[in-house]
Each structure stands twice: as structure tokens, then as C-alpha cells.
């Protein structure tokens, strides 16, 4: 405890960000240090798992020191340690889990393992101190694309998921073939602003009627085919038009499905109107087109839209600390046997 507040320290290392945060009473961020490896992976065009693990190992103690210094706390002040236990790259996850366990053991602090996606969703509790479940969440990142009915802090139901590429992954792959570099999402977002979203009629993939699942690999192939055809015909490609048309094809589907999910679940029943909220999470939630389209669509349908600021959309430990706090309040500490789980399912309710 410090200043009468419950202090959580959290670790996130599921992919290429080494992050440590300190939070008070679950939602107040005192430090959120993020050491990104993006510059290292630019040369490879993507994350190399072994290199990511090594960098986590090299960085993590320094990041812990910096977070404690910024938050002005000592180990005696920490009431809870939270750590991402999955899903993610197993070697990368293990670095965070091992460090968190060692700290919990050495300083006799309770330990809680957090699901990375619940962490992303929890970024919104930090951004919006009044926000409470239930609500619908759209989680779009480099590894995930999900529509999730969040019933409670620790319970949710996955309504839809990608059947192949995640949205961020599709952005990164298309960016690579356009020669934009890694990570491609933010670069595509910027370039698309200069292009015509109607220039190339890429197919919108909705899958079966009423399905909340997604598929983006066909769209990615369509972009590749378009580029090859244009090259063979000796025509010059307008990259901004390709980026804008690809983005529009992705966002049309995501916006329709996520707004549709809110309306179906919470829309017409006044008893459920408290949940008529759409909460964004994950790296792609920073996308300016997605934000603009959802603002518009939600305003028309009377849905309240929540979106974390970009620093809380990307992988960070503050969101993990917030989720750890709510898990600990309901279930108490995890045992020291807790491990890293590369394909951990969400805590689904039936
Ligand atoms: O949540 P995150 O930081 O890491 C994962 O858990 O995957 O998400 C990273 C992903 C990358 O694929 C990146 O290209 C994408 O989010 N991204 C974006 C934007 N900013 C980040 N995609 C589209 N538009 C953006 N503005
Ligand atoms: Zn993530």
C-alpha cells in the first residue's frame, strides 16, 4: 500500500515489447514503461521469436528499475504482481513470467497471471475510470481479431474470431509487399489518407450470414494478385490507392460486424441497454479510419464508443496490471506453479 492505495506491479512480454507498470487501485497508472524492439525487427521485416526473448532478458531488470523510480515505490509498497501468461510467443512470455515469479517469491507478494486479450480490453478501464462491464469489445491486433461479449471483468464470450490472418497481420503483410517496412499498420494508415478508397474494388469477405468470424487472407492475396497484374501489364501502381482500398475493404467488414454484434446482443432490449457500448482494444484500435468509421456508425445507432489512447492500445503492462487487479479481487492469487501458455483460451462463459 502507498498513500492508502492498493499497488499493483505488472509485466508484459508476450511479443516484442518489454513493459513494466505500476498502478494504484487498479486503474490509476503511476508508471507504464515500454521498451520496444521495433527498431531491431525493422531489419528482419517482422518479429524473430528467439531474438525477442533475448532482448526481454537483457532489458527487463532495467525496465523494472525505471518503472519503480517513476512511480516512486519500493518493493515494500507492492501488494500484487500481475503478468501476461498467454497467449503469445512462448520464449517471450517466459521472460515476463520468470521475472514476475522471482519478484513475487523474493518479496512475498501475491502473483496473478493475466490473459493478454483481457489485458487489452482492460486498457479501457484505465482510459475511462467510470467504465464497467457488460459491453461488446472489438479486439484487433497483430495476433488477434475478435468480437467479444464482455459480461464481467473476468468473464466473456467470444462471438467471432479470424479464421486465418489477424487484421494487424494482414496490414503488416500488405505493407511489406508495398515496400513500406515494419510494422506496416501505422504506415498503411498514413498512406491510405492520400489514396482513393474506391479505386480498387477489393471483395468484402463476410463469410456465412450472421457469422461474426473474419477472414483476411483472401483480401491479402487479392492485393498481391492486383500488384502482379499491374506489374505484368507495365502499369504504374498508385500505392496510396492500394492502401486506401485495402483498408476500406477491411474496415467495412469490421465495422458492420462489431456494430451488428452490439445491436443484436444489447440493442433492442431496454433491460440490457447498459451494455450498448462498443469498446476497442489492441494495436489496430489506433487506426484513424477505424476510429472515424466507428464514431460515425455508433453515433447513428446510439452506441457509446470507447477507445484507449494509442499508448494504451499497443502492448503495455498497465493494461495487464488493471486486469490482474480485477482477477485478484475475485479469485485471489495464482499458485507459483503458474506458467506461460502460448495458446491460452479466454475465460469463456457458456
Ligand atoms: O496489440 P499490438 O501492439 O500487438 C499484438 O498483440 O499484436 O498490435 C500490433 C499490430 C501490428 O500488426 C501493427 O501493424 C498494428 O497493430 N497497428 C495498426 C496501426 N497501429 C498498429 N494497424 C493499422 N493501423 C494502425 N494505425
Ligand atoms: Zn497485444
Amino acid at each position: 500500500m502507498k498513500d492508502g492505495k492498493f499497488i499493483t506491479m505488472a509485466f508484459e512480454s508476450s511479443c516484442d515489447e518489454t513493459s513494466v507498470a505500476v498502478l494504484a487501485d487498479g486503474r490509476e497508472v503511476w508508471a507504464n514503461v515500454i521498451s520496444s524492439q521495433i527498431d531491431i525487427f525493422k531489419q528482419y521485416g517482422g518479429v524473430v521469436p528467439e531474438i525477442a526473448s533475448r532482448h526481454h532478458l537483457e532489458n527487463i531488470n532495467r525496465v523494472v528499475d525505471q518503472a519503480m523510480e517513476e512511480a516512486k515505490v519500493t518493493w515494500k509498497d507492492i501488494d500484487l504482481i500481475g503478468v501476461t501468461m498467454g497467449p503469445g510467443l512462448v520464449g517471450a512470455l517466459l521472460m515476463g513470467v520468470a521475472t514476475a515469479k522471482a519478484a513475487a517469491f523474493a518479496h512475498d507478494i501475491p502473483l496473478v497471471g493475466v490473459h493478454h486479450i483481457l489485458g487489452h480490453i482492460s486498457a479501457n478501464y484505465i482510459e475511462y475510470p467510470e467504465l464497467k462491464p457488460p459491453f461488446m469489445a472489438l479486439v484487433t491486433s497483430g495476433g488477434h481479431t475478435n468480437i467479444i461479449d464482455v459480461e464481467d471483468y473476468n468473464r466473456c464470450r467470444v462471438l467471432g474470431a479470424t479464421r486465418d490472418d489477424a487484421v494487424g497481420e494482414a496490414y503488416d503483410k500488405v505493407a511489406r509487399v508495398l515496400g513500406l517496412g515494419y510494422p506496416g499498420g501505422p504506415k498503411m494508415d498514413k498512406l491510405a489518407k492520400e489514396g482513393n478508397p474506391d479505386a480498387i474494388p477489393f471483395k468484402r469477405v463476410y463469410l456465412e450470414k450472421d457469422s461474426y468470424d473474419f477472414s483476411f487472407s483472401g483480401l491479402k492475396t487479392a492485393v498481391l494478385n492486383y500488384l502482379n497484374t499491374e506489374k505484368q501489364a507495365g502499369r504504374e501502381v498508385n500505392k496510396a490507392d492500394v492502401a486506401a482500398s485495402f483498408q476500406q475493404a477491411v474496415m467495412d467488414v469490421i465495422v458492420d460486424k462489431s456494430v451488428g454484434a452490439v445491436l443484436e446482443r444489447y440493442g433492442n432490449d431496454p433491460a440490457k441497454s447498459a451494455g450498448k457500448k462498443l469498446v476497442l482494444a489492441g494495436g489496430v484500435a489506433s487506426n484513424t479510419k477505424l476510429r472515424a468509421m466507428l464514431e460515425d456508425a455508433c453515433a447513428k445507432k446510439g452506441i457509446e464508443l470507447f477507445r484507449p489512447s494509442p499508448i494504451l492500445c499497443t502492448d503495455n503492462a498497465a493494461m495487464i496490471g488493471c486486469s490482474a487487479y480485477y482477477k485478484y479481487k475475485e479469485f485471489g492469487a495464482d499458485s507459483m506453479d503458474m506458467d506461460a501458455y502460448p495458446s491460452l483460451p479466454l475465460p469463456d462463459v457458456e
Side-chain angles (χ1 to χ4, degrees):
M1 298 287 283
K2 184 160 188 205
D3 303 342
K5 294 184 172 177
F6 184 94
I7 308 297
T8 305
M9 171 180 271
F11 295 81
E12 155 62 37
S13 69
S14 64
C15 189
D16 59 344
E17 263 95 24
T18 318
S19 180
V20 177
V22 177
L23 295 92
D25 290 343
R27 293 194 183 208
E28 200 181 304
V29 180
W30 284 4
N32 187 21
V33 180
I34 305 169
S35 168
S36 173
Q37 302 178 18
I38 282 181
D39 286 342
I40 296 160
F41 293 120
K42 270 182 187 155
Q43 56 182 306
Y44 302 104
V47 177
V48 183
E50 275 72 27
I51 299 180
S53 314
R54 202 167 65 227
H55 281 278
H56 286 308
L57 183 63
E58 283 166 7
N59 287 337
I60 202 149
N61 287 333
R62 182 180 53 80
V63 179
V64 171
D65 291 345
Q66 196 182 330
M68 291 183 87
E69 206 176 300
E70 273 182 29
K72 298 188 178 59
V73 293
T74 66
W75 288 109
K76 283 203 306 295
D77 302 321
I78 315 279
D79 301 294
L80 174 67
I81 292 182
V83 59
T84 307
M85 60 177 174
L89 303 169
V90 68
L93 286 165
L94 272 169
M95 293 303 146
V97 169
T99 312
K101 273 188 184 179
F105 185 71
H107 303 284
D108 200 16
I109 301 169
L111 176 70
V112 155
V114 172
H115 192 289
H116 185 72
I117 299 299
L118 281 186
H120 270 301
I121 292 169
S122 303
N124 287 277
Y125 302 136
I126 296 171
E127 188 81 40
Y128 300 95
E130 307 303 321
L131 177 66
K132 289 191 191 94
F135 51 72
M136 197 61 72
L138 170 66
V139 182
T140 51
S141 73
H144 306 273
T145 306
N146 290 113
I147 294 179
I148 302 174
D149 188 9
V150 180
E151 298 202 344
D152 207 339
Y153 290 102
N154 300 304
R155 273 171 213 86
C156 58
R157 181 179 286 117
V158 179
L159 302 184
T162 181
R163 294 188 186 167
D164 39 59
D165 291 350
V167 194
E169 192 180 356
Y171 264 86
D172 292 341
K173 286 177 179 168
V174 169
R176 191 179 316 155
V177 296
L178 289 176
L180 302 181
Y182 174 84
K187 294 190 172 113
M188 292 274 288
D189 188 3
K190 197 160 162 233
L191 183 63
K193 292 196 175 92
E194 294 157 26
N196 172 8
D198 302 319
I200 310 149
F202 291 125
K203 196 170 164 236
R204 275 65 172 154
V205 180
Y206 281 92
L207 301 169
E208 305 82 31
K209 192 177 171 295
D210 298 333
S211 169
Y212 290 120
D213 281 352
F214 300 96
S215 168
F216 297 108
S217 73
L219 177 59
K220 179 190 67 193
T221 310
V223 174
L224 280 176
N225 289 343
Y226 171 82
L227 293 174
N228 284 337
T229 310
E230 295 302 291
K231 197 172 161 196
Q232 274 165 11
R235 287 189 288 266
E236 201 176 320
V237 168
N238 181 330
K239 289 186 183 180
D241 281 352
V242 177
S245 302
F246 162 83
Q247 176 157 275
Q248 192 69 47
V250 170
M251 296 310 175
D252 278 349
V253 176
I254 294 184
V255 170
D256 278 359
K257 291 205 179 205
S258 53
V259 168
V262 182
L263 294 179
E264 193 192 14
R265 174 79 175 83
Y266 294 105
N268 300 319
D269 181 351
K272 292 181 185 163
S273 64
K276 206 172 167 190
K277 301 171 190 151
L278 181 60
V279 161
L280 303 190
V284 187
S286 297
N287 184 274
T288 48
K289 182 81 179 176
L290 178 65
R291 286 178 175 234
M293 283 177 71
L294 278 176
E295 258 165 35
D296 192 45
C298 288
K300 283 189 184 127
K301 302 286 181 192
I303 298 169
E304 221 180 326
L305 180 66
F306 297 83
R307 58 226 180 309
S309 46
I311 195 68
L312 289 170
C313 285
T314 196
D315 287 349
N316 69 90
M319 66 186 197
I320 302 302
C322 180
S323 190
Y325 174 80
Y326 286 104
K327 185 175 167 190
Y328 181 68
K329 270 184 42 170
E330 184 168 354
F331 301 114
D334 283 335
S335 95
M336 278 290 178
D337 295 343
M338 193 258 291
D339 208 347
Y341 307 97
S343 31
L344 184 70
L346 272 160
D348 222 357
V349 282
E350 288 312 317

